[in-house]
Amino acid sequence: MTTTPATKRPICSNCNRPVRNCICPLITPITNQVEILILQHPDEASNAKNTAGLLHLSLKNSQLKIGEQFDTEDLDRWLFADQKRPLLLYPEITEYQALGLTAPQPLPTLNPVTPHQLRLVIIDGTWRKSRKMLYLNRALQSLPRMMLTETPPSIYKIRKAHSENQLSTLEASCYALQQLEQHKVDYAPLLTAMSLFVAQQSAFTPK
């Protein structure tokens, strides 16, 4: 446990949150088959309502990198290390040229590919900030893109959503992993932990 000079609030050295809303008791160890690479906008790193920290601490095979624009060589290494095939989890964008973006590669046939050969890339940020990160990091633009459909209603009620089917980073990642791993790994305990996380954060929200 450490304390921050400005606020003197005790900070958990594991989850880097104030001890009063530490999420370590909610960590749910899961050995995911598809590796997760989380690219987190700096503003999200200090947001108490962000779910990527709980996701990263719970998934054994995950990396979390914080930044808005990454060094090109670093990003290429994170994406293609160990000859894994990266897939970007991101909603559909129709006007690529108008936004100055490169169209993504077609999603490959994944039947002959084992989950251990895949790396799922997650951009963790608001819709506006995630799109800016996509624009600034060109290597992400051409990655084959995975989009979610027919997902359960979100339980993430502590941040404003722009649409009814908008999910948190943790929820979207769990549902994507379930599809890619053909439901061979159980993510229900982690989604349950997220429900407790939402309740915990709600307790600190002014009525």
Side-chain angles (χ1 to χ4, degrees):
M1 183 177 70
T2 60
T3 57
T4 57
T7 63
K8 303 298 183 183
R9 291 185 302 172
I11 299 295
C12 174
S13 58
N14 186 45
C15 68
N16 294 317
R17 289 172 176 258
V19 171
R20 67 192 295 260
N21 61 351
C22 170
I23 61 171
C24 290
L26 302 178
I27 294 173
T28 308
I30 293 178
T31 303
N32 49 310
Q33 296 179 348
V34 174
E35 182 187 307
I36 286 276
L37 170 61
I38 305 166
L39 303 176
Q40 185 178 65
H41 191 279
D43 289 351
E44 292 297 316
S46 58
N47 192 318
K49 298 177 181 178
N50 179 271
T51 63
L54 179 59
L55 177 71
H56 171 56
L57 291 171
S58 295
L59 297 184
K60 179 179 178 180
N61 298 315
S62 68
Q63 299 183 69
L64 188 150
K65 308 294 183 181
I66 300 174
E68 185 176 63
Q69 183 172 15
F70 299 98
D71 178 82
T72 302
E73 292 185 1
D74 287 342
L75 183 56
D76 283 344
R77 185 173 65 254
W78 300 334
L79 292 175
F80 301 104
D82 303 321
Q83 298 184 328
K84 290 183 183 289
R85 301 174 65 171
L87 303 175
L88 178 65
L89 181 63
Y90 204 79
E92 182 179 11
I93 297 177
T94 54
E95 300 178 353
Y96 292 101
Q97 291 184 346
L99 295 172
L101 301 174
T102 302
Q105 299 176 27
L107 188 66
T109 301
L110 299 177
N111 287 337
V113 180
T114 66
H116 296 90
Q117 293 175 292
L118 298 175
R119 175 174 289 117
L120 186 63
V121 182
I122 310 293
I123 300 178
D124 180 50
T126 63
W127 171 243
R128 181 178 63 83
K129 291 171 183 175
S130 70
R131 192 165 63 180
K132 183 177 181 181
M133 289 174 67
L134 188 63
Y135 177 81
L136 292 174
N137 299 279
R138 296 192 66 84
L140 300 177
Q141 297 177 24
S142 58
L143 293 180
R145 193 160 302 172
M146 179 180 183
M147 291 170 282
L148 294 174
T149 58
E150 300 181 358
T151 56
S154 176
I155 58 175
Y156 192 46
K157 305 301 183 183
I158 51 177
R159 294 182 76 172
K160 182 179 179 180
H162 296 285
S163 64
E164 292 181 358
N165 60 349
Q166 187 172 347
L167 302 172
S168 67
T169 293
L170 187 148
E171 291 172 300
S173 299
C174 286
Y175 297 142
L177 289 171
Q178 285 177 337
Q179 291 185 29
L180 293 173
E181 298 169 352
Q182 299 180 346
H183 296 269
K184 293 179 180 178
V185 179
D186 184 12
Y187 291 94
L190 182 50
L191 292 168
T192 298
M194 181 180 157
S195 295
L196 298 174
F197 169 81
V198 170
Q200 180 193 69
Q201 295 306 313
S202 296
F204 294 106
T205 302
K207 302 297 182 183

